[in-house]
Amino acid sequence: GGKMAARLSGGENRLVSLPLSRIRVIMKSSPEVSSINQDALFLTAKATELFVQYLATHSYKHGRGKEKNALTYSDLSHTAEECETFQFLADILPKKILASKYLKMLEKEKRDGEVGEDDEEDGEEDDEDET
């Protein structure tokens, strides 16, 4: 694919909006990666862009921010929690909770060894108070 790479170097900004140099740095940070093919770099960037778009669109459609015409962090974390496709993002997009609530959870955890199901559920109402 030398031809594709040549064509990209000129108009690559139009085709992909993420900075390829940053993506190259991230890919290189993996010890298994020694060299990165230009097409592979481009396709990784494009796939990432489409994925982020999909995550944002899905979160917006299913989120509460819709009424305010906004996409909120809690919409994203709700998607990561509820939607199977995005569950691998749960650690990166944790649900925001109040510090006081977290400390209570830790206390409870010490007492009974595990956090109960009901604790996680009542995080829902809190989201609305914040805004």
Side-chain angles (χ1 to χ4, degrees):
K3 224 183 284 171
M4 185 179 179
R7 201 177 74 235
L8 285 179
S9 52
E12 98 197 346
N13 301 342
R14 285 196 307 278
L15 295 168
V16 69
S17 51
L18 295 172
L20 295 184
S21 54
R22 298 288 304 178
I23 289 170
R24 183 186 275 113
V25 169
I26 295 167
M27 288 169 82
K28 282 243 180 193
S29 70
S30 172
E32 302 93 65
V33 175
S34 53
S35 70
I36 296 157
N37 171 300
Q38 190 64 26
D39 292 349
L41 176 64
F42 172 75
L43 291 172
T44 302
K46 196 66 195 168
T48 305
E49 196 177 301
L50 293 170
F51 173 75
V52 171
Q53 210 173 340
Y54 178 52
L55 170 65
T57 307
H58 184 283
S59 302
Y60 179 73
K61 279 189 191 144
H62 297 84
R64 288 213 199 94
K66 215 172 179 180
E67 304 107 57
K68 299 187 206 91
N69 215 3
L71 176 63
T72 65
Y73 178 86
S74 63
D75 293 337
L76 293 170
S77 76
H78 185 75
T79 297
E81 192 181 35
E82 297 299 320
C83 178
E84 219 176 297
T85 313
F86 296 110
Q87 253 157 21
F88 73 99
L89 295 174
D91 297 347
I92 302 165
L93 292 167
K95 218 172 180 184
K96 280 187 185 170
I97 57 168
L98 299 172
S100 55
K101 187 165 192 171
Y102 180 65
L103 294 172
K104 274 193 209 122
M105 273 166 63
L106 286 181
E107 277 306 309
K108 191 176 189 311
E109 217 168 297
K110 269 187 219 137
R111 283 200 305 274
D112 33 277
E114 263 305 273
V115 182
E117 276 302 313
D118 48 295
D119 271 10
E120 289 172 32
E121 285 309 312
D122 55 34
E124 296 296 333
E125 299 95 60
D126 284 9
D127 279 359
E128 284 165 64
D129 307 338
E130 283 173 40
T131 45

PDB file of all heavy atoms in Angstrom, residues 96-131:
ATOM      1  N   LYS A  96     -19.198   8.401  38.783  1.00  0.00           N
ATOM      2  CA  LYS A  96     -18.791   9.365  39.808  1.00  0.00           C
ATOM      3  C   LYS A  96     -19.719   9.223  41.008  1.00  0.00           C
ATOM      4  O   LYS A  96     -20.929   9.182  40.860  1.00  0.00           O
ATOM      5  CB  LYS A  96     -18.898  10.794  39.278  1.00  0.00           C
ATOM      6  CG  LYS A  96     -17.742  11.199  38.408  1.00  0.00           C
ATOM      7  CD  LYS A  96     -17.834  12.665  38.069  1.00  0.00           C
ATOM      8  CE  LYS A  96     -16.736  13.056  37.102  1.00  0.00           C
ATOM      9  NZ  LYS A  96     -16.950  14.401  36.576  1.00  0.00           N
ATOM     10  N   ILE A  97     -19.108   9.142  42.188  1.00  0.00           N
ATOM     11  CA  ILE A  97     -19.921   9.142  43.400  1.00  0.00           C
ATOM     12  C   ILE A  97     -19.326  10.150  44.373  1.00  0.00           C
ATOM     13  O   ILE A  97     -18.164  10.535  44.251  1.00  0.00           O
ATOM     14  CB  ILE A  97     -20.005   7.750  44.076  1.00  0.00           C
ATOM     15  CG1 ILE A  97     -18.616   7.213  44.418  1.00  0.00           C
ATOM     16  CG2 ILE A  97     -20.772   6.767  43.211  1.00  0.00           C
ATOM     17  CD1 ILE A  97     -18.636   6.010  45.319  1.00  0.00           C
ATOM     18  N   LEU A  98     -20.114  10.563  45.342  1.00  0.00           N
ATOM     19  CA  LEU A  98     -19.626  11.515  46.333  1.00  0.00           C
ATOM     20  C   LEU A  98     -18.599  10.836  47.238  1.00  0.00           C
ATOM     21  O   LEU A  98     -18.714   9.642  47.531  1.00  0.00           O
ATOM     22  CB  LEU A  98     -20.792  12.031  47.183  1.00  0.00           C
ATOM     23  CG  LEU A  98     -21.875  12.770  46.406  1.00  0.00           C
ATOM     24  CD1 LEU A  98     -23.067  13.054  47.311  1.00  0.00           C
ATOM     25  CD2 LEU A  98     -21.334  14.067  45.847  1.00  0.00           C
ATOM     26  N   ALA A  99     -17.606  11.594  47.669  1.00  0.00           N
ATOM     27  CA  ALA A  99     -16.571  11.048  48.540  1.00  0.00           C
ATOM     28  C   ALA A  99     -17.185  10.456  49.808  1.00  0.00           C
ATOM     29  O   ALA A  99     -16.796   9.377  50.258  1.00  0.00           O
ATOM     30  CB  ALA A  99     -15.555  12.128  48.895  1.00  0.00           C
ATOM     31  N   SER A 100     -18.164  11.160  50.380  1.00  0.00           N
ATOM     32  CA  SER A 100     -18.797  10.688  51.616  1.00  0.00           C
ATOM     33  C   SER A 100     -19.437   9.315  51.401  1.00  0.00           C
ATOM     34  O   SER A 100     -19.356   8.425  52.247  1.00  0.00           O
ATOM     35  CB  SER A 100     -19.863  11.677  52.089  1.00  0.00           C
ATOM     36  OG  SER A 100     -20.800  11.911  51.054  1.00  0.00           O
ATOM     37  N   LYS A 101     -20.039   9.155  50.221  1.00  0.00           N
ATOM     38  CA  LYS A 101     -20.683   7.889  49.889  1.00  0.00           C
ATOM     39  C   LYS A 101     -19.636   6.781  49.739  1.00  0.00           C
ATOM     40  O   LYS A 101     -19.837   5.650  50.159  1.00  0.00           O
ATOM     41  CB  LYS A 101     -21.448   8.069  48.585  1.00  0.00           C
ATOM     42  CG  LYS A 101     -22.274   6.887  48.224  1.00  0.00           C
ATOM     43  CD  LYS A 101     -23.260   7.288  47.165  1.00  0.00           C
ATOM     44  CE  LYS A 101     -24.253   6.156  47.043  1.00  0.00           C
ATOM     45  NZ  LYS A 101     -25.371   6.500  46.214  1.00  0.00           N
ATOM     46  N   TYR A 102     -18.505   7.149  49.125  1.00  0.00           N
ATOM     47  CA  TYR A 102     -17.423   6.180  48.930  1.00  0.00           C
ATOM     48  C   TYR A 102     -16.899   5.703  50.279  1.00  0.00           C
ATOM     49  O   TYR A 102     -16.678   4.514  50.486  1.00  0.00           O
ATOM     50  CB  TYR A 102     -16.310   6.823  48.102  1.00  0.00           C
ATOM     51  CG  TYR A 102     -15.147   5.910  47.839  1.00  0.00           C
ATOM     52  CD1 TYR A 102     -15.304   4.766  47.059  1.00  0.00           C
ATOM     53  CD2 TYR A 102     -13.894   6.173  48.370  1.00  0.00           C
ATOM     54  CE1 TYR A 102     -14.255   3.916  46.810  1.00  0.00           C
ATOM     55  CE2 TYR A 102     -12.826   5.324  48.121  1.00  0.00           C
ATOM     56  CZ  TYR A 102     -13.007   4.190  47.339  1.00  0.00           C
ATOM     57  OH  TYR A 102     -11.953   3.349  47.096  1.00  0.00           O
ATOM     58  N   LEU A 103     -16.706   6.632  51.212  1.00  0.00           N
ATOM     59  CA  LEU A 103     -16.207   6.276  52.534  1.00  0.00           C
ATOM     60  C   LEU A 103     -17.189   5.349  53.244  1.00  0.00           C
ATOM     61  O   LEU A 103     -16.777   4.383  53.894  1.00  0.00           O
ATOM     62  CB  LEU A 103     -15.938   7.535  53.368  1.00  0.00           C
ATOM     63  CG  LEU A 103     -14.796   8.415  52.837  1.00  0.00           C
ATOM     64  CD1 LEU A 103     -14.721   9.737  53.592  1.00  0.00           C
ATOM     65  CD2 LEU A 103     -13.456   7.686  52.923  1.00  0.00           C
ATOM     66  N   LYS A 104     -18.490   5.628  53.096  1.00  0.00           N
ATOM     67  CA  LYS A 104     -19.506   4.741  53.675  1.00  0.00           C
ATOM     68  C   LYS A 104     -19.405   3.349  53.073  1.00  0.00           C
ATOM     69  O   LYS A 104     -19.507   2.351  53.786  1.00  0.00           O
ATOM     70  CB  LYS A 104     -20.915   5.296  53.429  1.00  0.00           C
ATOM     71  CG  LYS A 104     -21.370   6.286  54.473  1.00  0.00           C
ATOM     72  CD  LYS A 104     -22.879   6.543  54.343  1.00  0.00           C
ATOM     73  CE  LYS A 104     -23.217   7.949  54.814  1.00  0.00           C
ATOM     74  NZ  LYS A 104     -23.880   8.760  53.778  1.00  0.00           N
ATOM     75  N   MET A 105     -19.201   3.301  51.743  1.00  0.00           N
ATOM     76  CA  MET A 105     -19.075   2.002  51.073  1.00  0.00           C
ATOM     77  C   MET A 105     -17.872   1.236  51.607  1.00  0.00           C
ATOM     78  O   MET A 105     -17.942   0.029  51.826  1.00  0.00           O
ATOM     79  CB  MET A 105     -18.938   2.189  49.562  1.00  0.00           C
ATOM     80  CG  MET A 105     -20.255   2.270  48.825  1.00  0.00           C
ATOM     81  SD  MET A 105     -20.061   2.898  47.130  1.00  0.00           S
ATOM     82  CE  MET A 105     -19.022   1.629  46.394  1.00  0.00           C
ATOM     83  N   LEU A 106     -16.759   1.934  51.813  1.00  0.00           N
ATOM     84  CA  LEU A 106     -15.561   1.292  52.341  1.00  0.00           C
ATOM     85  C   LEU A 106     -15.814   0.728  53.741  1.00  0.00           C
ATOM     86  O   LEU A 106     -15.395  -0.383  54.056  1.00  0.00           O
ATOM     87  CB  LEU A 106     -14.387   2.272  52.385  1.00  0.00           C
ATOM     88  CG  LEU A 106     -13.738   2.635  51.062  1.00  0.00           C
ATOM     89  CD1 LEU A 106     -12.569   3.597  51.296  1.00  0.00           C
ATOM     90  CD2 LEU A 106     -13.244   1.411  50.311  1.00  0.00           C
ATOM     91  N   GLU A 107     -16.490   1.523  54.557  1.00  0.00           N
ATOM     92  CA  GLU A 107     -16.839   1.072  55.906  1.00  0.00           C
ATOM     93  C   GLU A 107     -17.666  -0.210  55.843  1.00  0.00           C
ATOM     94  O   GLU A 107     -17.377  -1.182  56.510  1.00  0.00           O
ATOM     95  CB  GLU A 107     -17.653   2.157  56.638  1.00  0.00           C
ATOM     96  CG  GLU A 107     -16.798   3.240  57.268  1.00  0.00           C
ATOM     97  CD  GLU A 107     -15.727   2.677  58.200  1.00  0.00           C
ATOM     98  OE1 GLU A 107     -16.078   1.860  59.089  1.00  0.00           O
ATOM     99  OE2 GLU A 107     -14.544   3.033  58.038  1.00  0.00           O
ATOM    100  N   LYS A 108     -18.685  -0.159  55.016  1.00  0.00           N
ATOM    101  CA  LYS A 108     -19.598  -1.287  54.868  1.00  0.00           C
ATOM    102  C   LYS A 108     -18.826  -2.511  54.357  1.00  0.00           C
ATOM    103  O   LYS A 108     -19.050  -3.625  54.814  1.00  0.00           O
ATOM    104  CB  LYS A 108     -20.715  -0.908  53.888  1.00  0.00           C
ATOM    105  CG  LYS A 108     -21.875  -1.887  53.841  1.00  0.00           C
ATOM    106  CD  LYS A 108     -22.953  -1.359  52.909  1.00  0.00           C
ATOM    107  CE  LYS A 108     -24.239  -2.154  52.961  1.00  0.00           C
ATOM    108  NZ  LYS A 108     -24.081  -3.601  52.851  1.00  0.00           N
ATOM    109  N   GLU A 109     -17.904  -2.266  53.430  1.00  0.00           N
ATOM    110  CA  GLU A 109     -17.109  -3.348  52.858  1.00  0.00           C
ATOM    111  C   GLU A 109     -16.284  -4.031  53.950  1.00  0.00           C
ATOM    112  O   GLU A 109     -16.163  -5.238  53.984  1.00  0.00           O
ATOM    113  CB  GLU A 109     -16.177  -2.774  51.785  1.00  0.00           C
ATOM    114  CG  GLU A 109     -15.983  -3.674  50.591  1.00  0.00           C
ATOM    115  CD  GLU A 109     -15.295  -2.957  49.444  1.00  0.00           C
ATOM    116  OE1 GLU A 109     -15.881  -1.982  48.921  1.00  0.00           O
ATOM    117  OE2 GLU A 109     -14.179  -3.350  49.097  1.00  0.00           O
ATOM    118  N   LYS A 110     -15.713  -3.207  54.825  1.00  0.00           N
ATOM    119  CA  LYS A 110     -14.931  -3.758  55.940  1.00  0.00           C
ATOM    120  C   LYS A 110     -15.817  -4.634  56.811  1.00  0.00           C
ATOM    121  O   LYS A 110     -15.416  -5.690  57.253  1.00  0.00           O
ATOM    122  CB  LYS A 110     -14.333  -2.629  56.789  1.00  0.00           C
ATOM    123  CG  LYS A 110     -12.947  -2.224  56.327  1.00  0.00           C
ATOM    124  CD  LYS A 110     -12.338  -1.232  57.300  1.00  0.00           C
ATOM    125  CE  LYS A 110     -11.572  -0.166  56.543  1.00  0.00           C
ATOM    126  NZ  LYS A 110     -11.800   1.177  57.066  1.00  0.00           N
ATOM    127  N   ARG A 111     -17.050  -4.153  57.034  1.00  0.00           N
ATOM    128  CA  ARG A 111     -17.964  -4.894  57.912  1.00  0.00           C
ATOM    129  C   ARG A 111     -18.410  -6.206  57.297  1.00  0.00           C
ATOM    130  O   ARG A 111     -18.290  -7.246  57.907  1.00  0.00           O
ATOM    131  CB  ARG A 111     -19.187  -4.041  58.261  1.00  0.00           C
ATOM    132  CG  ARG A 111     -18.885  -2.984  59.307  1.00  0.00           C
ATOM    133  CD  ARG A 111     -20.149  -2.501  59.980  1.00  0.00           C
ATOM    134  NE  ARG A 111     -21.143  -2.013  59.012  1.00  0.00           N
ATOM    135  CZ  ARG A 111     -21.150  -0.760  58.546  1.00  0.00           C
ATOM    136  NH1 ARG A 111     -20.235   0.115  58.945  1.00  0.00           N
ATOM    137  NH2 ARG A 111     -22.066  -0.377  57.689  1.00  0.00           N
ATOM    138  N   ASP A 112     -18.937  -6.171  56.064  1.00  0.00           N
ATOM    139  CA  ASP A 112     -19.473  -7.423  55.515  1.00  0.00           C
ATOM    140  C   ASP A 112     -18.702  -8.006  54.333  1.00  0.00           C
ATOM    141  O   ASP A 112     -19.205  -8.874  53.643  1.00  0.00           O
ATOM    142  CB  ASP A 112     -20.986  -7.343  55.218  1.00  0.00           C
ATOM    143  CG  ASP A 112     -21.457  -5.983  54.786  1.00  0.00           C
ATOM    144  OD1 ASP A 112     -21.696  -5.145  55.670  1.00  0.00           O
ATOM    145  OD2 ASP A 112     -21.566  -5.768  53.568  1.00  0.00           O
ATOM    146  N   GLY A 113     -17.510  -7.495  54.110  1.00  0.00           N
ATOM    147  CA  GLY A 113     -16.636  -8.147  53.135  1.00  0.00           C
ATOM    148  C   GLY A 113     -16.948  -7.873  51.674  1.00  0.00           C
ATOM    149  O   GLY A 113     -16.078  -7.903  50.840  1.00  0.00           O
ATOM    150  N   GLU A 114     -18.190  -7.566  51.345  1.00  0.00           N
ATOM    151  CA  GLU A 114     -18.580  -7.307  49.954  1.00  0.00           C
ATOM    152  C   GLU A 114     -19.553  -6.143  49.903  1.00  0.00           C
ATOM    153  O   GLU A 114     -20.331  -5.952  50.818  1.00  0.00           O
ATOM    154  CB  GLU A 114     -19.264  -8.543  49.349  1.00  0.00           C
ATOM    155  CG  GLU A 114     -18.358  -9.447  48.508  1.00  0.00           C
ATOM    156  CD  GLU A 114     -17.656  -8.711  47.383  1.00  0.00           C
ATOM    157  OE1 GLU A 114     -18.252  -8.604  46.297  1.00  0.00           O
ATOM    158  OE2 GLU A 114     -16.518  -8.266  47.571  1.00  0.00           O
ATOM    159  N   VAL A 115     -19.487  -5.392  48.802  1.00  0.00           N
ATOM    160  CA  VAL A 115     -20.453  -4.308  48.624  1.00  0.00           C
ATOM    161  C   VAL A 115     -21.745  -4.922  48.105  1.00  0.00           C
ATOM    162  O   VAL A 115     -21.725  -5.713  47.160  1.00  0.00           O
ATOM    163  CB  VAL A 115     -19.937  -3.274  47.593  1.00  0.00           C
ATOM    164  CG1 VAL A 115     -20.926  -2.122  47.461  1.00  0.00           C
ATOM    165  CG2 VAL A 115     -18.586  -2.753  48.014  1.00  0.00           C
ATOM    166  N   GLY A 116     -22.852  -4.564  48.713  1.00  0.00           N
ATOM    167  CA  GLY A 116     -24.147  -5.122  48.304  1.00  0.00           C
ATOM    168  C   GLY A 116     -24.607  -4.551  46.986  1.00  0.00           C
ATOM    169  O   GLY A 116     -24.187  -3.474  46.591  1.00  0.00           O
ATOM    170  N   GLU A 117     -25.483  -5.272  46.300  1.00  0.00           N
ATOM    171  CA  GLU A 117     -26.033  -4.813  45.017  1.00  0.00           C
ATOM    172  C   GLU A 117     -26.751  -3.472  45.156  1.00  0.00           C
ATOM    173  O   GLU A 117     -26.606  -2.598  44.336  1.00  0.00           O
ATOM    174  CB  GLU A 117     -27.036  -5.836  44.465  1.00  0.00           C
ATOM    175  CG  GLU A 117     -26.402  -6.967  43.694  1.00  0.00           C
ATOM    176  CD  GLU A 117     -25.575  -6.479  42.505  1.00  0.00           C
ATOM    177  OE1 GLU A 117     -26.067  -5.628  41.746  1.00  0.00           O
ATOM    178  OE2 GLU A 117     -24.431  -6.938  42.359  1.00  0.00           O
ATOM    179  N   ASP A 118     -27.533  -3.334  46.221  1.00  0.00           N
ATOM    180  CA  ASP A 118     -28.358  -2.127  46.377  1.00  0.00           C
ATOM    181  C   ASP A 118     -27.519  -0.854  46.466  1.00  0.00           C
ATOM    182  O   ASP A 118     -27.951   0.197  46.038  1.00  0.00           O
ATOM    183  CB  ASP A 118     -29.280  -2.235  47.599  1.00  0.00           C
ATOM    184  CG  ASP A 118     -28.527  -2.710  48.835  1.00  0.00           C
ATOM    185  OD1 ASP A 118     -28.053  -3.870  48.819  1.00  0.00           O
ATOM    186  OD2 ASP A 118     -28.394  -1.941  49.797  1.00  0.00           O
ATOM    187  N   ASP A 119     -26.320  -0.957  46.985  1.00  0.00           N
ATOM    188  CA  ASP A 119     -25.437   0.212  47.067  1.00  0.00           C
ATOM    189  C   ASP A 119     -25.157   0.806  45.699  1.00  0.00           C
ATOM    190  O   ASP A 119     -25.151   2.007  45.530  1.00  0.00           O
ATOM    191  CB  ASP A 119     -24.080  -0.177  47.674  1.00  0.00           C
ATOM    192  CG  ASP A 119     -24.112  -0.051  49.181  1.00  0.00           C
ATOM    193  OD1 ASP A 119     -25.226   0.141  49.702  1.00  0.00           O
ATOM    194  OD2 ASP A 119     -23.056  -0.149  49.803  1.00  0.00           O
ATOM    195  N   GLU A 120     -24.918  -0.066  44.738  1.00  0.00           N
ATOM    196  CA  GLU A 120     -24.565   0.422  43.405  1.00  0.00           C
ATOM    197  C   GLU A 120     -25.773   1.036  42.717  1.00  0.00           C
ATOM    198  O   GLU A 120     -25.659   1.985  41.990  1.00  0.00           O
ATOM    199  CB  GLU A 120     -23.985  -0.721  42.571  1.00  0.00           C
ATOM    200  CG  GLU A 120     -22.612  -1.112  43.078  1.00  0.00           C
ATOM    201  CD  GLU A 120     -22.078  -2.360  42.419  1.00  0.00           C
ATOM    202  OE1 GLU A 120     -22.403  -2.589  41.246  1.00  0.00           O
ATOM    203  OE2 GLU A 120     -21.340  -3.100  43.078  1.00  0.00           O
ATOM    204  N   GLU A 121     -26.938   0.460  42.963  1.00  0.00           N
ATOM    205  CA  GLU A 121     -28.140   0.958  42.316  1.00  0.00           C
ATOM    206  C   GLU A 121     -28.461   2.392  42.705  1.00  0.00           C
ATOM    207  O   GLU A 121     -28.801   3.199  41.886  1.00  0.00           O
ATOM    208  CB  GLU A 121     -29.351   0.070  42.648  1.00  0.00           C
ATOM    209  CG  GLU A 121     -29.360  -1.245  41.902  1.00  0.00           C
ATOM    210  CD  GLU A 121     -29.159  -1.085  40.403  1.00  0.00           C
ATOM    211  OE1 GLU A 121     -29.827  -0.234  39.798  1.00  0.00           O
ATOM    212  OE2 GLU A 121     -28.318  -1.819  39.841  1.00  0.00           O
ATOM    213  N   ASP A 122     -28.331   2.725  44.011  1.00  0.00           N
ATOM    214  CA  ASP A 122     -28.806   4.047  44.392  1.00  0.00           C
ATOM    215  C   ASP A 122     -27.870   5.176  43.984  1.00  0.00           C
ATOM    216  O   ASP A 122     -28.118   6.321  44.295  1.00  0.00           O
ATOM    217  CB  ASP A 122     -29.198   4.138  45.876  1.00  0.00           C
ATOM    218  CG  ASP A 122     -28.086   3.708  46.814  1.00  0.00           C
ATOM    219  OD1 ASP A 122     -26.905   3.959  46.470  1.00  0.00           O
ATOM    220  OD2 ASP A 122     -28.365   3.113  47.848  1.00  0.00           O
ATOM    221  N   GLY A 123     -26.834   4.859  43.217  1.00  0.00           N
ATOM    222  CA  GLY A 123     -26.011   5.904  42.625  1.00  0.00           C
ATOM    223  C   GLY A 123     -26.767   6.674  41.552  1.00  0.00           C
ATOM    224  O   GLY A 123     -26.409   7.776  41.192  1.00  0.00           O
ATOM    225  N   GLU A 124     -27.838   6.083  41.034  1.00  0.00           N
ATOM    226  CA  GLU A 124     -28.617   6.697  39.958  1.00  0.00           C
ATOM    227  C   GLU A 124     -29.180   8.063  40.340  1.00  0.00           C
ATOM    228  O   GLU A 124     -29.033   9.007  39.609  1.00  0.00           O
ATOM    229  CB  GLU A 124     -29.777   5.779  39.537  1.00  0.00           C
ATOM    230  CG  GLU A 124     -29.334   4.461  38.936  1.00  0.00           C
ATOM    231  CD  GLU A 124     -28.573   4.605  37.631  1.00  0.00           C
ATOM    232  OE1 GLU A 124     -28.787   5.583  36.921  1.00  0.00           O
ATOM    233  OE2 GLU A 124     -27.740   3.745  37.332  1.00  0.00           O
ATOM    234  N   GLU A 125     -29.839   8.134  41.501  1.00  0.00           N
ATOM    235  CA  GLU A 125     -30.516   9.379  41.862  1.00  0.00           C
ATOM    236  C   GLU A 125     -29.511  10.530  42.028  1.00  0.00           C
ATOM    237  O   GLU A 125     -29.811  11.661  41.697  1.00  0.00           O
ATOM    238  CB  GLU A 125     -31.282   9.262  43.192  1.00  0.00           C
ATOM    239  CG  GLU A 125     -32.371   8.219  43.177  1.00  0.00           C
ATOM    240  CD  GLU A 125     -31.882   6.901  43.720  1.00  0.00           C
ATOM    241  OE1 GLU A 125     -31.458   6.842  44.881  1.00  0.00           O
ATOM    242  OE2 GLU A 125     -31.912   5.894  42.963  1.00  0.00           O
ATOM    243  N   ASP A 126     -28.335  10.214  42.527  1.00  0.00           N
ATOM    244  CA  ASP A 126     -27.337  11.241  42.812  1.00  0.00           C
ATOM    245  C   ASP A 126     -26.980  12.089  41.595  1.00  0.00           C
ATOM    246  O   ASP A 126     -26.730  13.272  41.702  1.00  0.00           O
ATOM    247  CB  ASP A 126     -26.050  10.626  43.365  1.00  0.00           C
ATOM    248  CG  ASP A 126     -26.222  10.230  44.814  1.00  0.00           C
ATOM    249  OD1 ASP A 126     -27.375  10.286  45.290  1.00  0.00           O
ATOM    250  OD2 ASP A 126     -25.231   9.888  45.461  1.00  0.00           O
ATOM    251  N   ASP A 127     -26.979  11.440  40.431  1.00  0.00           N
ATOM    252  CA  ASP A 127     -26.606  12.141  39.204  1.00  0.00           C
ATOM    253  C   ASP A 127     -27.428  13.403  38.999  1.00  0.00           C
ATOM    254  O   ASP A 127     -26.922  14.404  38.553  1.00  0.00           O
ATOM    255  CB  ASP A 127     -26.856  11.237  37.993  1.00  0.00           C
ATOM    256  CG  ASP A 127     -25.703  10.266  37.814  1.00  0.00           C
ATOM    257  OD1 ASP A 127     -24.760  10.342  38.623  1.00  0.00           O
ATOM    258  OD2 ASP A 127     -25.749   9.457  36.890  1.00  0.00           O
ATOM    259  N   GLU A 128     -28.706  13.321  39.351  1.00  0.00           N
ATOM    260  CA  GLU A 128     -29.584  14.445  39.047  1.00  0.00           C
ATOM    261  C   GLU A 128     -29.336  15.626  39.979  1.00  0.00           C
ATOM    262  O   GLU A 128     -29.476  16.768  39.604  1.00  0.00           O
ATOM    263  CB  GLU A 128     -31.045  14.001  39.114  1.00  0.00           C
ATOM    264  CG  GLU A 128     -31.409  13.194  37.888  1.00  0.00           C
ATOM    265  CD  GLU A 128     -32.707  12.422  38.048  1.00  0.00           C
ATOM    266  OE1 GLU A 128     -33.738  13.068  38.187  1.00  0.00           O
ATOM    267  OE2 GLU A 128     -32.650  11.187  38.017  1.00  0.00           O
ATOM    268  N   ASP A 129     -28.952  15.352  41.227  1.00  0.00           N
ATOM    269  CA  ASP A 129     -28.697  16.437  42.173  1.00  0.00           C
ATOM    270  C   ASP A 129     -27.517  17.304  41.735  1.00  0.00           C
ATOM    271  O   ASP A 129     -27.506  18.493  41.944  1.00  0.00           O
ATOM    272  CB  ASP A 129     -28.391  15.885  43.570  1.00  0.00           C
ATOM    273  CG  ASP A 129     -29.474  14.923  44.036  1.00  0.00           C
ATOM    274  OD1 ASP A 129     -30.590  15.012  43.502  1.00  0.00           O
ATOM    275  OD2 ASP A 129     -29.188  14.087  44.908  1.00  0.00           O
ATOM    276  N   GLU A 130     -26.531  16.655  41.118  1.00  0.00           N
ATOM    277  CA  GLU A 130     -25.302  17.369  40.750  1.00  0.00           C
ATOM    278  C   GLU A 130     -25.539  18.514  39.788  1.00  0.00           C
ATOM    279  O   GLU A 130     -24.931  19.554  39.898  1.00  0.00           O
ATOM    280  CB  GLU A 130     -24.314  16.412  40.080  1.00  0.00           C
ATOM    281  CG  GLU A 130     -23.615  15.513  41.075  1.00  0.00           C
ATOM    282  CD  GLU A 130     -22.765  14.472  40.355  1.00  0.00           C
ATOM    283  OE1 GLU A 130     -22.134  14.834  39.351  1.00  0.00           O
ATOM    284  OE2 GLU A 130     -22.749  13.320  40.794  1.00  0.00           O
ATOM    285  N   THR A 131     -26.450  18.330  38.841  1.00  0.00           N
ATOM    286  CA  THR A 131     -26.614  19.343  37.777  1.00  0.00           C
ATOM    287  C   THR A 131     -27.502  20.477  38.210  1.00  0.00           C
ATOM    288  O   THR A 131     -28.334  20.330  39.084  1.00  0.00           O
ATOM    289  CB  THR A 131     -27.189  18.696  36.494  1.00  0.00           C
ATOM    290  OG1 THR A 131     -28.276  17.841  36.851  1.00  0.00           O
ATOM    291  CG2 THR A 131     -26.124  17.941  35.748  1.00  0.00           C
TER     292      THR A 131
END
